Protein backbone atom coordinates (compact mmCIF):
# COMPACT_ATOMS: atom_id res chain seq x y z
CA UNK A 1 0.00 0.00 0.00
CA UNK A 2 2.89 2.38 0.67
CA UNK A 3 3.96 2.11 -2.97
CA UNK A 4 0.44 2.93 -4.18
CA UNK A 5 -0.66 5.77 -1.92
CA UNK A 6 0.84 9.10 -3.00
CA UNK A 7 3.43 10.16 -0.37
CA UNK A 8 4.30 13.60 0.99
CA UNK A 9 7.28 15.32 -0.65
CA UNK A 10 9.58 18.19 0.32
CA UNK A 11 8.80 20.15 -2.84
CA UNK A 12 7.47 23.61 -2.07
CA UNK A 13 6.83 24.45 -5.72
CA UNK A 14 3.36 23.23 -6.73
CA UNK A 15 4.53 22.41 -10.26
CA UNK A 16 7.33 20.21 -8.89
CA UNK A 17 4.75 18.50 -6.71
CA UNK A 18 2.65 17.91 -9.83
CA UNK A 19 5.61 16.44 -11.75
CA UNK A 20 6.36 14.09 -8.86
CA UNK A 21 2.72 13.05 -8.72
CA UNK A 22 2.68 12.48 -12.49
CA UNK A 23 5.77 10.23 -12.35
CA UNK A 24 4.35 8.32 -9.38
CA UNK A 25 0.99 7.68 -11.03
CA UNK A 26 2.46 6.72 -14.41
CA UNK A 27 4.59 4.04 -12.75
CA UNK A 28 1.50 2.62 -11.05
CA UNK A 29 -0.50 2.82 -14.30
CA UNK A 30 2.22 1.04 -16.31
CA UNK A 31 2.70 -1.64 -13.68
CA UNK A 32 -1.05 -2.28 -13.39
CA UNK A 33 -1.57 -2.36 -17.18
CA UNK A 34 1.36 -4.74 -17.56
CA UNK A 35 -0.23 -7.17 -15.11
CA UNK A 36 -3.22 -7.37 -17.43
CA UNK A 37 -1.19 -7.75 -20.62
CA UNK A 38 1.44 -10.21 -19.37
CA UNK A 39 -0.81 -13.32 -19.45
CA UNK A 40 -2.13 -12.38 -22.90
CA UNK A 41 1.34 -11.77 -24.36
CA UNK A 42 2.58 -15.03 -22.88
CA UNK A 43 0.42 -16.82 -25.45
CA UNK A 44 0.73 -14.30 -28.32
CA UNK A 45 4.43 -13.34 -28.30
CA UNK A 46 7.18 -14.39 -25.94
CA UNK A 47 9.30 -11.39 -27.05
CA UNK A 48 6.57 -8.94 -26.06
CA UNK A 49 6.06 -10.89 -22.85
CA UNK A 50 9.74 -10.46 -21.96
CA UNK A 51 9.55 -6.76 -22.84
CA UNK A 52 6.52 -6.24 -20.61
CA UNK A 53 8.17 -8.20 -17.77
CA UNK A 54 11.23 -5.94 -17.98
CA UNK A 55 8.96 -2.88 -18.11
CA UNK A 56 7.08 -4.07 -15.01
CA UNK A 57 10.32 -4.69 -13.13
CA UNK A 58 11.64 -1.22 -13.98
CA UNK A 59 8.34 0.38 -12.96
CA UNK A 60 8.53 -1.40 -9.60
CA UNK A 61 12.16 -0.29 -9.10
CA UNK A 62 11.26 3.27 -10.05
CA UNK A 63 8.37 3.25 -7.61
CA UNK A 64 10.54 2.07 -4.72
CA UNK A 65 13.15 4.70 -5.61
CA UNK A 66 10.49 7.43 -5.71
CA UNK A 67 9.18 6.32 -2.32
CA UNK A 68 12.67 6.35 -0.78
CA UNK A 69 14.03 9.56 -2.29
CA UNK A 70 10.76 11.52 -2.71
CA UNK A 71 12.36 13.10 -5.81
CA UNK A 72 11.28 12.63 -9.42
CA UNK A 73 14.10 14.16 -11.50
CA UNK A 74 16.46 11.14 -11.70
CA UNK A 75 13.63 8.68 -12.39
CA UNK A 76 12.19 10.97 -15.06
CA UNK A 77 15.56 11.23 -16.83
CA UNK A 78 16.09 7.45 -16.73
CA UNK A 79 12.48 6.84 -17.88
CA UNK A 80 12.91 9.15 -20.90
CA UNK A 81 16.43 7.98 -21.87
CA UNK A 82 15.53 4.29 -21.76
CA UNK A 83 12.32 5.00 -23.67
CA UNK A 84 14.16 6.82 -26.46
CA UNK A 85 16.88 4.14 -26.67
CA UNK A 86 14.47 1.18 -26.65
CA UNK A 87 12.10 2.64 -29.25
CA UNK A 88 14.99 3.66 -31.52
CA UNK A 89 16.57 0.19 -31.30
CA UNK A 90 13.22 -1.44 -32.01
CA UNK A 91 12.57 0.85 -34.98
CA UNK A 92 16.00 0.35 -36.54
CA UNK A 93 16.79 -3.31 -35.76
CA UNK A 94 13.53 -5.28 -35.51
CA UNK A 95 12.50 -6.40 -39.03
CA UNK A 96 8.78 -5.66 -39.28
CA UNK A 97 6.44 -3.14 -40.84
CA UNK A 98 4.35 -3.01 -37.66
CA UNK A 99 6.37 -0.11 -36.17
CA UNK A 100 3.31 1.95 -35.33
CA UNK A 101 3.82 0.95 -31.69
CA UNK A 102 7.32 2.46 -31.76
CA UNK A 103 5.92 5.75 -33.04
CA UNK A 104 3.30 5.78 -30.26
CA UNK A 105 5.93 5.17 -27.59
CA UNK A 106 8.16 7.85 -29.12
CA UNK A 107 5.31 10.34 -28.84
CA UNK A 108 4.72 9.20 -25.27
CA UNK A 109 8.40 9.86 -24.38
CA UNK A 110 8.21 13.32 -25.94
CA UNK A 111 5.08 14.21 -23.97
CA UNK A 112 6.52 12.94 -20.70
CA UNK A 113 9.84 14.76 -21.28
CA UNK A 114 8.05 18.07 -21.90
CA UNK A 115 5.74 17.65 -18.91
CA UNK A 116 8.32 16.59 -16.31
CA UNK A 117 11.77 17.76 -17.46
CA UNK A 118 10.87 20.92 -19.32
CA UNK A 119 11.09 22.44 -22.77
CA UNK A 120 14.79 21.74 -23.39
CA UNK A 121 14.46 18.05 -22.55
CA UNK A 122 11.34 17.79 -24.72
CA UNK A 123 13.15 19.33 -27.69
CA UNK A 124 16.14 16.99 -27.27
CA UNK A 125 13.90 13.90 -27.13
CA UNK A 126 11.94 15.10 -30.15
CA UNK A 127 15.17 15.66 -32.09
CA UNK A 128 16.42 12.19 -31.19
CA UNK A 129 13.19 10.55 -32.28
CA UNK A 130 13.12 12.51 -35.56
CA UNK A 131 16.70 11.38 -36.25
CA UNK A 132 15.76 7.73 -35.61
CA UNK A 133 12.67 7.93 -37.85
CA UNK A 134 14.72 9.63 -40.61
CA UNK A 135 17.34 6.88 -40.52
CA UNK A 136 14.55 4.28 -40.64
CA UNK A 137 12.89 5.86 -43.68
CA UNK A 138 16.19 6.20 -45.54
CA UNK A 139 17.89 2.87 -44.82
CA UNK A 140 15.57 0.34 -43.14
CA UNK A 141 12.09 0.78 -44.61
CA UNK A 142 12.94 -0.95 -47.94
CA UNK A 143 14.09 -4.09 -46.12
CA UNK A 144 10.94 -4.15 -43.97
CA UNK A 145 8.68 -3.89 -47.04
CA UNK A 146 9.82 -7.35 -48.10
CA UNK A 147 8.19 -8.82 -44.97
CA UNK A 148 4.68 -7.55 -45.69
CA UNK A 149 3.47 -11.01 -46.88
CA UNK A 150 4.67 -12.70 -43.70
CA UNK A 151 2.19 -10.92 -41.35
CA UNK A 152 -0.02 -13.24 -39.35
CA UNK A 153 -3.16 -12.70 -37.33
CA UNK A 154 -1.08 -13.03 -34.17
CA UNK A 155 1.32 -10.30 -35.36
CA UNK A 156 -1.57 -7.98 -36.06
CA UNK A 157 -3.27 -8.82 -32.74
CA UNK A 158 -0.21 -8.18 -30.62
CA UNK A 159 0.53 -4.96 -32.53
CA UNK A 160 -2.99 -3.71 -31.88
CA UNK A 161 -2.76 -4.60 -28.19
CA UNK A 162 0.64 -2.92 -27.73
CA UNK A 163 -0.58 0.11 -29.68
CA UNK A 164 -3.62 0.39 -27.44
CA UNK A 165 -1.30 -0.05 -24.45
CA UNK A 166 1.01 2.77 -25.60
CA UNK A 167 -1.88 5.02 -26.55
CA UNK A 168 -3.50 4.43 -23.15
CA UNK A 169 -0.29 5.41 -21.34
CA UNK A 170 0.08 8.50 -23.53
CA UNK A 171 -3.54 9.50 -22.96
CA UNK A 172 -3.06 8.94 -19.23
CA UNK A 173 0.03 11.17 -19.24
CA UNK A 174 -1.92 13.97 -20.93
CA UNK A 175 -4.93 13.50 -18.66
CA UNK A 176 -2.85 13.54 -15.46
CA UNK A 177 -0.73 16.44 -16.67
CA UNK A 178 -3.75 18.61 -17.38
CA UNK A 179 -5.33 17.65 -14.06
CA UNK A 180 -2.17 18.22 -12.02
CA UNK A 181 -1.26 21.40 -13.89
CA UNK A 182 -4.71 22.76 -13.06
CA UNK A 183 -4.16 21.73 -9.44
CA UNK A 184 -0.82 23.58 -9.33
CA UNK A 185 -2.26 26.71 -10.97
CA UNK A 186 -5.21 26.80 -8.55
CA UNK A 187 -2.89 26.34 -5.56
CA UNK A 188 -0.67 29.16 -6.80
CA UNK A 189 -3.69 31.40 -7.15
CA UNK A 190 -4.81 30.54 -3.61
CA UNK A 191 -1.27 31.02 -2.27
CA UNK A 192 -0.94 34.39 -4.04
CA UNK A 193 -4.31 35.49 -2.72
CA UNK A 194 -3.34 34.51 0.83
CA UNK A 195 0.03 36.23 0.39
CA UNK A 196 -1.67 39.40 -0.82
CA UNK A 197 -3.98 39.32 2.21
CA UNK A 198 -1.02 38.80 4.56
CA UNK A 199 0.97 41.57 2.86
CA UNK A 200 -2.02 43.89 3.09
CA UNK A 201 -2.35 43.13 6.79
CA UNK A 202 1.40 43.63 7.34
CA UNK A 203 1.38 46.90 5.40
CA UNK A 204 -1.59 48.12 7.44
CA UNK A 205 0.18 47.26 10.69
CA UNK A 206 3.40 48.86 9.47
CA UNK A 207 1.53 52.04 8.57
CA UNK A 208 -0.07 52.09 12.01
CA UNK A 209 3.31 51.56 13.68
CA UNK A 210 4.91 54.22 11.48
CA UNK A 211 2.24 56.74 12.45
CA UNK A 212 2.67 55.80 16.10
CA UNK A 213 6.47 56.11 15.93
CA UNK A 214 6.21 59.47 14.20
CA UNK A 215 3.94 60.65 16.98
CA UNK A 216 6.38 59.35 19.60
CA UNK A 217 9.32 61.15 17.97
CA UNK A 218 7.22 64.29 17.68
CA UNK A 219 6.41 64.15 21.40
CA UNK A 220 10.04 63.44 22.33
CA UNK A 221 11.10 66.42 20.24
CA UNK A 222 8.52 68.61 22.04
CA UNK A 223 9.68 67.33 25.44
CA UNK A 224 13.29 68.12 24.58
CA UNK A 225 12.26 71.61 23.54
CA UNK A 226 10.55 71.99 26.92
CA UNK A 227 13.81 70.96 28.59
CA UNK A 228 15.66 73.52 26.47
CA UNK A 229 13.21 76.21 27.53
CA UNK A 230 13.61 75.26 31.21
CA UNK A 231 17.39 75.44 30.91
CA UNK A 232 17.14 78.90 29.36
CA UNK A 233 14.78 80.06 32.11
CA UNK A 234 17.21 78.79 34.71
CA UNK A 235 20.10 80.44 32.85
CA UNK A 236 18.30 83.79 32.87
CA UNK A 237 18.72 83.98 36.67
CA UNK A 238 22.45 83.27 36.58
CA UNK A 239 25.02 86.05 36.81
CA UNK A 240 28.15 83.93 36.56
CA UNK A 241 29.43 83.93 32.95
CA UNK A 242 31.00 80.48 33.36
CA UNK A 243 27.71 78.99 34.56
CA UNK A 244 25.85 80.70 31.71
CA UNK A 245 28.35 79.22 29.23
CA UNK A 246 27.76 75.72 30.62
CA UNK A 247 24.01 76.22 30.41
CA UNK A 248 24.43 77.27 26.78
CA UNK A 249 26.47 74.14 26.00
CA UNK A 250 23.86 71.91 27.63
CA UNK A 251 21.08 73.67 25.74
CA UNK A 252 22.84 73.14 22.40
CA UNK A 253 23.35 69.44 23.11
CA UNK A 254 19.69 68.99 23.94
CA UNK A 255 18.77 70.98 20.82
CA UNK A 256 20.96 68.67 18.72
CA UNK A 257 19.03 65.65 19.99
CA UNK A 258 15.72 67.45 19.52
CA UNK A 259 16.64 68.10 15.89
CA UNK A 260 17.19 64.36 15.39
CA UNK A 261 13.65 63.53 16.47
CA UNK A 262 12.31 66.35 14.32
CA UNK A 263 14.07 64.94 11.26
CA UNK A 264 12.87 61.42 12.08
CA UNK A 265 9.16 62.21 12.18
CA UNK A 266 9.53 64.36 9.04
CA UNK A 267 11.41 61.63 7.17
CA UNK A 268 9.75 59.18 4.77
CA UNK A 269 11.84 56.33 6.22
CA UNK A 270 11.77 56.73 9.99
CA UNK A 271 14.28 53.88 10.43
CA UNK A 272 17.07 55.73 8.58
CA UNK A 273 18.02 59.37 8.28
CA UNK A 274 19.97 61.34 5.69
CA UNK A 275 23.13 62.45 7.48
CA UNK A 276 24.00 65.36 5.20
CA UNK A 277 20.57 66.96 5.54
CA UNK A 278 20.73 66.70 9.31
CA UNK A 279 24.30 68.02 9.52
CA UNK A 280 23.46 71.09 7.45
CA UNK A 281 20.51 71.92 9.71
CA UNK A 282 22.59 71.36 12.84
CA UNK A 283 25.46 73.52 11.57
CA UNK A 284 23.16 76.39 10.63
CA UNK A 285 21.45 76.28 14.04
CA UNK A 286 24.80 76.30 15.86
CA UNK A 287 26.19 79.18 13.81
CA UNK A 288 23.03 81.16 14.49
CA UNK A 289 23.16 80.40 18.22
CA UNK A 290 26.75 81.62 18.58
CA UNK A 291 25.94 84.84 16.70
CA UNK A 292 29.47 85.21 15.37
CA UNK A 293 30.50 88.47 13.73
CA UNK A 294 32.58 86.82 11.03
CA UNK A 295 31.33 84.65 8.18
CA UNK A 296 31.68 80.87 8.56
CA UNK A 297 31.26 78.71 5.48
CA UNK A 298 30.33 75.04 5.52
CA UNK A 299 31.51 72.37 3.10
CA UNK A 300 29.79 69.03 3.71
CA UNK A 301 30.32 65.86 1.69
CA UNK A 302 28.59 62.64 2.77
CA UNK A 303 27.73 60.77 -0.50
CA UNK A 304 24.04 60.81 0.56
CA UNK A 305 24.72 58.25 3.26
CA UNK A 306 21.81 57.10 5.35
CA UNK A 307 22.47 55.91 8.89
CA UNK A 308 20.51 53.69 11.22
CA UNK A 309 18.85 55.52 14.10
CA UNK A 310 20.84 53.23 16.39
CA UNK A 311 23.95 55.37 15.82
CA UNK A 312 22.48 58.69 14.87
CA UNK A 313 22.39 60.24 18.33
CA UNK A 314 26.08 59.50 18.93
CA UNK A 315 27.06 60.85 15.49
CA UNK A 316 24.91 63.95 16.02
CA UNK A 317 26.40 64.73 19.44
CA UNK A 318 29.89 64.12 18.09
CA UNK A 319 29.40 66.61 15.25
CA UNK A 320 27.71 69.03 17.65
CA UNK A 321 30.81 69.03 19.87
CA UNK A 322 33.22 69.40 16.95
CA UNK A 323 31.34 72.30 15.38
CA UNK A 324 30.74 73.99 18.72
CA UNK A 325 34.43 73.75 19.64
CA UNK A 326 35.41 75.33 16.31
CA UNK A 327 32.89 78.15 16.68
CA UNK A 328 34.04 78.85 20.26
CA UNK A 329 37.79 78.53 19.90
CA UNK A 330 38.99 78.50 16.30
CA UNK A 331 38.06 81.68 14.46
CA UNK A 332 39.41 85.18 15.00
CA UNK A 333 37.14 88.26 14.54
CA UNK A 334 38.77 89.27 11.25
CA UNK A 335 39.00 85.73 9.85
CA UNK A 336 36.80 84.06 7.27
CA UNK A 337 35.94 80.72 8.80
CA UNK A 338 35.69 77.42 6.93
CA UNK A 339 34.43 74.11 8.30
CA UNK A 340 34.70 70.96 6.21
CA UNK A 341 33.05 67.65 7.00
CA UNK A 342 33.58 64.50 4.94
CA UNK A 343 31.74 61.32 5.87
CA UNK A 344 32.29 58.30 3.61
CA UNK A 345 31.91 54.54 3.64
CA UNK A 346 34.51 52.13 2.28
CA UNK A 347 33.81 48.81 0.59
CA UNK A 348 34.12 46.84 3.83
CA UNK A 349 31.37 48.63 5.76
CA UNK A 350 33.61 50.96 7.74
CA UNK A 351 32.99 54.71 7.92
CA UNK A 352 35.48 57.55 7.84
CA UNK A 353 34.61 60.96 9.33
CA UNK A 354 37.04 63.79 8.58
CA UNK A 355 36.33 67.10 10.28
CA UNK A 356 38.50 70.19 9.82
CA UNK A 357 38.46 73.95 10.28
CA UNK A 358 40.90 76.64 9.14
CA UNK A 359 41.02 78.44 12.46
CA UNK A 360 43.83 79.09 14.93
CA UNK A 361 42.77 77.61 18.23
CA UNK A 362 43.26 79.66 21.41
CA UNK A 363 41.74 77.74 24.26
CA UNK A 364 41.41 79.40 27.64
CA UNK A 365 43.79 78.15 30.29
CA UNK A 366 42.08 75.86 32.79
CA UNK A 367 38.90 75.54 30.72
CA UNK A 368 36.90 72.38 31.29
CA UNK A 369 37.87 69.48 29.08
CA UNK A 370 34.37 68.03 29.17
CA UNK A 371 33.92 68.55 25.40
CA UNK A 372 37.09 66.56 24.60
CA UNK A 373 36.08 63.83 27.05
CA UNK A 374 32.66 63.67 25.39
CA UNK A 375 34.28 63.28 21.97
CA UNK A 376 36.40 60.39 23.32
CA UNK A 377 33.31 58.70 24.77
CA UNK A 378 31.24 59.13 21.62
CA UNK A 379 34.04 57.72 19.43
CA UNK A 380 34.11 54.61 21.64
CA UNK A 381 30.32 54.26 21.37
CA UNK A 382 30.68 54.29 17.59
CA UNK A 383 33.22 51.43 17.71
CA UNK A 384 36.01 53.65 16.48
CA UNK A 385 39.05 55.77 17.17
CA UNK A 386 40.35 59.15 16.03
CA UNK A 387 43.39 61.34 15.62
CA UNK A 388 43.59 65.11 16.03
CA UNK A 389 46.11 67.24 14.16
CA UNK A 390 46.40 70.98 14.82
CA UNK A 391 48.78 73.36 13.01
CA UNK A 392 48.89 76.84 11.45
CA UNK A 393 46.41 75.73 8.77
CA UNK A 394 43.77 74.71 11.28
CA UNK A 395 42.62 71.62 13.15
CA UNK A 396 41.66 68.25 11.67
CA UNK A 397 39.96 65.26 13.28
CA UNK A 398 40.12 61.90 11.49
CA UNK A 399 37.68 59.30 12.82
CA UNK A 400 37.75 55.61 11.86
CA UNK A 401 34.31 54.21 12.72
CA UNK A 402 33.17 50.61 12.48
CA UNK A 403 29.97 49.21 10.89
CA UNK A 404 27.19 51.75 11.48
CA UNK A 405 24.57 50.47 9.01
CA UNK A 406 22.92 47.74 11.12
Amino acid sequence: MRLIKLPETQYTDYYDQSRFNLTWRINIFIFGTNLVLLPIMFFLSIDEFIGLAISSTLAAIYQVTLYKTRKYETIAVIWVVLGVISTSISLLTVPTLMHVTDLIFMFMCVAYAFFTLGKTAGILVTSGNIAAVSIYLCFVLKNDEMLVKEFTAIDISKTILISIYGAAITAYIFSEFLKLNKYAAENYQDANKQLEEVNELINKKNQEKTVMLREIHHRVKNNLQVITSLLRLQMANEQDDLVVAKFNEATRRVAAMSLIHEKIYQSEDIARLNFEEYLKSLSQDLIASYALKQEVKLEIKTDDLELSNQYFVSIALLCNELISNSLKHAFQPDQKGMIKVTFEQDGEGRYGLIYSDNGTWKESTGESTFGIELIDTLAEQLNGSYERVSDENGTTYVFDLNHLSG
Side-chain angles (χ1 to χ4, degrees), residues 78-120:
I78 296 174
W79 203 96
V80 170
V81 170
L82 290 181
V84 172
I85 292 174
S86 61
T87 52
S88 298
I89 290 175
S90 174
L91 183 67
L92 298 175
T93 62
V94 177
T96 177
L97 269 177
M98 307 297 284
H99 282 301
V100 63
T101 57
D102 296 324
L103 298 178
I104 292 174
F105 280 102
M106 283 181 172
F107 181 71
M108 179 181 65
C109 289
V110 170
Y112 182 75
F114 269 109
F115 294 160
T116 57
L117 299 177
K119 182 179 178 180
T120 302

Side-chain angles (χ1 to χ4, degrees), residues 66 99 106 135 158 174 250 265 295 297 304 340 378 395:
L66 284 172
H99 282 301
M106 283 181 172
I135 294 172
K158 74 177 184 180
F174 272 92
Y265 78 74
E295 179 185 3
K297 292 185 178 180
D304 294 327
K340 295 182 180 180
L378 293 170
T395 300

Side-chain angles (χ1 to χ4, degrees), residues 324-337:
S324 296
N325 286 344
S326 294
L327 295 176
K328 285 190 296 183
H329 304 297
F331 305 121
Q332 304 305 312
D334 57 346
Q335 182 181 12
K336 289 185 178 180

Side-chain angles (χ1 to χ4, degrees), residues 47-66:
D47 292 336
E48 298 295 346
F49 174 82
I50 293 173
L52 289 174
I54 294 173
S55 174
S56 299
T57 303
L58 291 175
I61 294 173
Y62 295 164
Q63 198 71 353
V64 172
T65 304
L66 284 172

Side-chain angles (χ1 to χ4, degrees), residues 157-177:
S157 297
K158 74 177 184 180
T159 300
I160 292 174
L161 282 174
I162 296 299
S163 297
I164 293 174
Y165 168 71
I169 295 176
T170 304
Y172 185 77
I173 290 175
F174 272 92
S175 173
E176 287 298 310
F177 170 77

